[in-house]
Amino acid sequence: MIISSSDEEKQATSAAVRLVYGACPHDCPDGCALETLVDEQGRVLSLRGRANHPITRGWLCAKVNRYLERVYHPERLLYPQRRKGPKGSGSFARISWEEAFAEIGERWQRIITEHGAQCILPYNYAGTLGLVNGAVADSRFWNRLGASRLKRAICGYAAEEAVRLTLGWRLAPSPEMLLQSRLVLIWGSNPASTAPHIMPFLRQAQRQGTRVIVIDPVRTLTARSADLHLQPYPGTDAALALAMMHVIVSRGLHNQTWIETHTVGWEQLRERIMRYPPERAAVITGLSVETITELAVAYATTTPAMLRVTDGINRHTNGGQTVRALLCLPALTGQYGLAGGGVMYSTSDWLQWDAEAVKHEHDPACPPAPRVLNMNRLGALLTGEADPPIYALYVYNANPVASAPNAGKIVEGLQRDDLFVVVHDLFETDTARYADILLPATSQLEQTDLHKAYGHLALQYNAQAIAPLGEARSNWDVMRGLAQAMGFTESWLQEDAEAVIRGVLEATAARSPLLKDITLECLQREGWVALAIPEERRIPFADGRFGTPSGKVEFYSQQAADLGYDPLPDWVPDVESPFTADSNGQRERLVLVSPGAHHFISSSFGNVATLRRKEGRPSVRLHPDEARARGIRDGQLVRLSNERGSCLVFAEVSDEVRPGVLAASSVWWPRFSPDGRNINWLTSDRLADFNGGSTFHTTLVTIEPVAEAPQSCGEPEKAVRS
């Protein structure tokens, strides 16, 4: 039950009603501060954003507004279960935690004896961003076990590498600084859906005269309210950025003094820039020469200008170099170090937890680090790429059958008889249906944690608000149980959540002044506390120092060259694109992009009926010209297909997407799709140019109409099961 705010105030006067401070756990830069009202029976009365938090400011996004429907969902897993039918059947029988731990321990011990611990793979990502149930649960037990390490590269690895090579540190300003910008260039990002608490600052800035330009092949919710929206062809952004630099340099609009003082490799970059006149970029991007020129001049002649970049743009085979090119723009015009200028990507490197306190990977009890396996290749790893093979998979904080690329290959691997699969989740997801052992997980309201956002500059404590439903356990509590089942006796594997938080805080505070006076008790009392960043340091790079070996912006990166990358930014066509397609009909295919849905966070919330209804149904947007050429009408069932697989979705004919492009919002659970598959049956599991990143948007597909639609789609009791 959710009660009104006036009722809340009345209830709060009762000593039996508790107000509990918390933090949103989901993979979103906003990192909202929560307050939960709990009645005397221990049931949540309401959940809302905290009004005194500088970013949350009293409201929550469309997704988390429905969080109680997730917590009290009738299909919550409440007890451990063992598979009793064929893999994928979703047939399970209840067992005790003792039985579950005993079976997992016995199976793993056998695998370790026969094949080695590296044949066990934990698979997880950002189901929660908490210190305890994310970072610590992702490392301590697995390091002690000696399991294969997981390269968690499914989101922003290429972009993070690009930032490291070019700037050294991920130091974005807090969103309030948008109010000091005169121009905000939002490139390949849709904060209205994926970071909505930026939008009030953006709107206020616009009312003050700030110009907002969005670059995106899709007219997103953010783009609809922009002053200008440009739609280049996907995967051509580096060419556009280099052409902008060509215009800026050719017209003498660059800041030569700043470049000479604060950069490395200017002459080499200048030579590269000259290869990208706007006429060449116009052919590549599909934008006109005039548009490219006007964009470049507007950016170069407006100060301060903020470039907003997030991870969607790096999910191409050329994603790393794309981000490198974008990061050069503020350096060319001297925008770094200005209030309201520079780049807004991530605040992650303002504070980094003490690694050893988190992981304990150098403890003598831990075996030497084994192999590292890239999560983007999960399907390939489960079907022969891993040598020696993976014989046990433990999935938590993730739903790869819905969210990972080339999902059909993952399903193929999960059906192996010799693969022992454990899934720990709140729900019987599409992945969980393939589990041998299924374990019930807690929601954020049922666990304790600490959160460090990547979109603002505050720490947030999440106090446990209610008792776990049924026999649900947190990620970390399950790891503690698994450690006992494996016979591990190290004290750092049995610390409770508060002890973990205290230890990491104290170890980090010993080397970071940003935690001055921030203690566990302070966080428990206040709920959120701002990092102790001096006022003069709140503007990233205001002191002219960068985290690169040279201490400068590195246009030319020797580190990149040493890694085998081109040391200068460049544009290389995506592996699947019209620029690389052969002449055997491949140019008739369209590029598929999969922007984040407004009502889901990856696959989280994908089974909440209210949010599914708001999102509509699994669909793909295509331009009227493309629909007309293929005989597709609006609302018709269509088949998307390529060499990796196929899926059925509904067509939305719209000029919101540019010609040559398809846009399908993600991530729908496969079971709620017309044929039990989603678009990740088509997405590429190739790796990006930098750091093993993902390439979801490097995907060419064929689209064709389907004669008859299924009888129904979207309700769990009616949807076609995979």
Side-chain angles (χ1 to χ4, degrees):
M1 178 180 69
I2 303 177
I3 61 177
S4 69
S5 57
S6 58
D7 286 338
E8 285 180 23
E9 292 168 1
K10 295 175 184 176
Q11 290 276 9
T13 62
S14 168
V17 175
R18 295 180 294 115
L19 185 65
V20 183
Y21 294 149
C24 178
H26 293 290
D27 190 3
C28 168
D30 291 4
C32 286
L34 309 178
E35 55 184 36
T36 305
L37 202 63
V38 182
D39 70 16
E40 57 270 23
Q41 282 78 42
R43 187 172 175 86
V44 178
L45 295 170
S46 67
L47 175 72
R48 63 186 178 188
R50 291 193 65 186
N52 71 340
H53 189 276
I55 307 304
T56 307
R57 303 206 294 183
W59 61 279
L60 299 173
C61 68
K63 301 166 270 281
V64 182
N65 255 332
R66 297 288 176 174
Y67 195 75
L68 296 188
E69 294 177 38
R70 176 175 167 86
V71 174
Y72 293 117
H73 197 290
E75 295 178 3
R76 275 286 300 270
L77 294 174
L78 300 178
Y79 309 100
Q81 300 176 63
R82 178 190 291 119
R83 177 172 61 87
K84 66 177 184 180
K87 287 194 173 188
S89 66
S91 180
F92 298 92
R94 180 178 172 180
I95 58 175
S96 67
W97 274 104
E98 290 73 18
E99 290 174 294
F101 284 138
E103 183 166 342
I104 295 168
E106 187 276 328
R107 293 288 295 269
W108 285 359
Q109 291 282 17
R110 190 188 315 162
I111 289 169
I112 292 170
T113 299
E114 295 177 0
H115 307 287
Q118 66 176 338
C119 293
I120 301 171
L121 176 67
Y123 185 97
N124 53 86
Y125 196 61
T128 174
L129 296 182
L131 167 66
V132 179
N133 294 293
V136 171
D138 292 350
S139 55
R140 286 193 189 182
F141 170 73
W142 305 110
N143 292 342
R144 176 63 181 87
L145 185 67
S148 283
R149 304 284 175 90
L150 184 73
K151 187 167 189 175
R152 298 179 179 90
I154 204 166
C155 185
Y157 257 44
E160 291 168 13
E161 182 88 322
V163 173
R164 184 182 70 84
L165 296 173
T166 312
L167 308 180
W169 298 312
R170 292 169 294 169
L171 298 180
S174 192
E176 301 101 315
M177 205 163 286
L178 289 170
L179 299 179
Q180 300 184 56
S181 303
R182 290 188 57 213
L183 184 147
V184 179
L185 181 56
I186 302 175
W187 203 317
S189 182
N190 179 24
S193 293
T194 60
H197 286 80
I198 283 179
M199 298 308 292
F201 298 105
L202 204 60
R203 293 287 172 269
Q204 184 178 343
Q206 281 182 294
R207 290 193 295 270
Q208 295 172 182
T210 300
R211 190 180 186 198
V212 175
I213 300 175
V214 172
I215 299 176
D216 198 300
V218 180
R219 189 159 69 245
T220 61
L221 192 57
T222 304
R224 292 174 193 170
S225 59
D227 299 292
L228 177 65
H229 175 213
L230 306 180
Q231 294 179 278
Y233 195 82
T236 66
D237 303 274
L240 176 56
L242 289 161
M244 288 176 63
M245 289 186 264
H246 185 287
V247 173
I248 291 168
V249 172
S250 298
R251 298 195 175 200
L253 300 176
H254 57 297
N255 189 328
Q256 186 67 34
T257 301
W258 199 95
I259 291 170
E260 291 175 355
T261 305
H262 297 292
T263 72
V264 170
W266 167 236
E267 291 305 321
Q268 295 99 316
L269 178 65
R270 185 186 183 108
E271 181 180 345
R272 178 67 53 87
I273 288 170
M274 290 300 106
R275 302 179 191 174
Y276 286 90
E279 291 78 10
R280 180 187 178 194
V283 174
I284 295 169
T285 64
L287 302 176
S288 69
V289 171
E290 293 74 19
T291 295
I292 295 170
T293 302
E294 290 169 6
L295 173 66
V297 171
Y299 179 78
T301 58
T302 309
T303 301
M306 183 73 76
L307 173 61
R308 166 73 177 182
V309 180
T310 48
D311 288 325
I313 203 166
N314 89 146
R315 295 174 192 148
H316 294 266
T317 53
N318 61 16
Q321 282 288 45
T322 293
V323 176
R324 281 263 286 147
L326 297 184
L327 295 175
C328 292
L329 282 166
L332 224 67
T333 54
Q335 296 288 344
Y336 286 116
L338 301 181
V343 168
M344 181 177 284
Y345 171 61
S346 171
T347 62
S348 295
D349 287 343
W350 283 103
L351 176 72
Q352 291 187 320
W353 299 125
D354 183 271
E356 189 59 24
V358 171
K359 302 177 181 180
H360 283 268
E361 62 184 332
H362 296 117
D363 190 286
C366 294
R371 62 186 176 180
V372 179
L373 302 176
N374 192 308
M375 68 186 307
N376 290 306
R377 299 290 297 170
L378 180 61
L381 292 168
L382 294 178
T383 55
E385 185 171 277
D387 183 20
I390 297 165
Y391 289 109
L393 183 71
Y394 186 97
V395 180
Y396 64 104
N397 279 353
N399 180 13
V401 169
S403 300
N406 202 359
K409 183 66 73 173
I410 295 172
V411 170
E412 179 186 340
L414 290 174
Q415 292 174 323
R416 281 173 38 203
D417 291 333
D418 63 344
L419 179 68
F420 177 60
V421 179
V422 181
V423 176
H424 182 213
D425 208 304
L426 281 78
F427 301 101
E428 186 189 305
T429 63
D430 291 276
T431 304
R433 294 174 66 83
Y434 294 91
D436 295 290
I437 299 292
L438 184 53
L439 304 175
T442 48
S443 72
Q444 182 75 340
L445 302 187
E446 301 157 61
Q447 61 194 25
T448 297
D449 220 323
L450 180 65
H451 289 258
K452 177 172 73 75
Y454 62 94
H456 61 72
L457 303 175
L459 286 184
Q460 291 161 181
Y461 182 79
N462 185 79
Q464 182 179 329
I466 59 174
L469 273 62
E471 295 179 4
R473 297 192 185 187
S474 70
N475 293 336
W476 179 236
D477 283 343
V478 174
M479 300 299 168
R480 295 163 72 191
L482 290 170
Q484 290 181 331
M486 298 301 295
F488 301 154
T489 59
E490 289 73 28
S491 61
W492 45 268
L493 289 171
Q494 292 304 323
E495 293 177 337
D496 64 20
E498 284 194 8
V500 169
I501 293 170
R502 186 185 302 278
V504 174
L505 274 176
E506 291 177 353
T508 306
R511 59 170 181 77
S512 175
L514 273 61
L515 289 181
K516 182 182 179 182
D517 299 327
I518 299 178
T519 63
L520 174 59
E521 289 73 21
C522 172
L523 287 160
Q524 289 173 327
R525 182 177 63 252
E526 302 296 334
W528 71 269
V529 179
L531 295 176
I533 303 173
E535 193 63 35
E536 65 273 13
R537 286 194 57 210
R538 288 182 171 269
I539 302 170
F541 310 113
D543 59 1
R545 293 191 308 110
F546 295 82
T548 57
S550 65
K552 301 180 178 183
V553 176
E554 297 199 350
F555 294 145
Y556 182 97
S557 169
Q558 187 57 49
Q559 289 185 101
D562 293 344
L563 290 167
Y565 309 149
D566 187 334
L568 291 166
D570 202 359
W571 174 73
V572 176
D574 267 344
V575 172
E576 293 184 32
S577 80
F579 302 102
T580 55
D582 59 37
S583 59
N584 298 322
Q586 296 307 301
R587 290 183 181 272
E588 297 303 314
R589 299 202 294 177
L590 304 177
V591 66
L592 173 69
V593 295
S594 45
H598 189 73
H599 297 96
F600 309 146
I601 303 177
S602 188
S603 72
S604 295
F605 297 95
N607 65 329
V608 175
T610 304
L611 294 176
R612 286 205 318 277
R613 287 194 294 270
K614 288 177 177 292
E615 193 64 26
R617 57 185 181 178
S619 60
V620 63
R621 280 174 285 175
L622 73 162
H623 192 272
D625 293 349
E626 304 293 358
R628 194 177 306 113
R630 292 162 176 79
I632 295 170
R633 64 180 185 276
D634 187 61
Q636 184 175 16
L637 193 70
V638 294
R639 177 178 289 105
L640 305 178
S641 60
N642 61 16
E643 61 275 15
R644 288 177 288 273
S646 67
C647 71
L648 299 179
V649 293
F650 293 91
E652 290 186 12
V653 179
S654 169
D655 62 3
E656 288 188 339
V657 61
R658 61 155 294 149
V661 176
L662 301 173
S665 296
S666 62
V667 174
W668 281 87
W669 284 26
R671 70 178 63 180
F672 299 128
S673 298
D675 60 349
R677 304 172 185 173
N678 68 13
I679 57 166
N680 280 326
W681 261 252
L682 296 91
T683 50
S684 172
D685 57 358
R686 291 186 183 92
L687 302 182
D689 53 351
F690 283 12
N691 207 21
S694 62
T695 60
F696 285 96
H697 302 319
T698 299
T699 300
L700 281 176
V701 301
T702 298
I703 181 171
E704 57 186 349
V706 173
E708 295 184 11
Q711 291 184 341
S712 61
C713 173
E715 292 304 317
E717 66 272 16
K718 296 179 181 179
V720 177
R721 295 285 196 179
S722 60

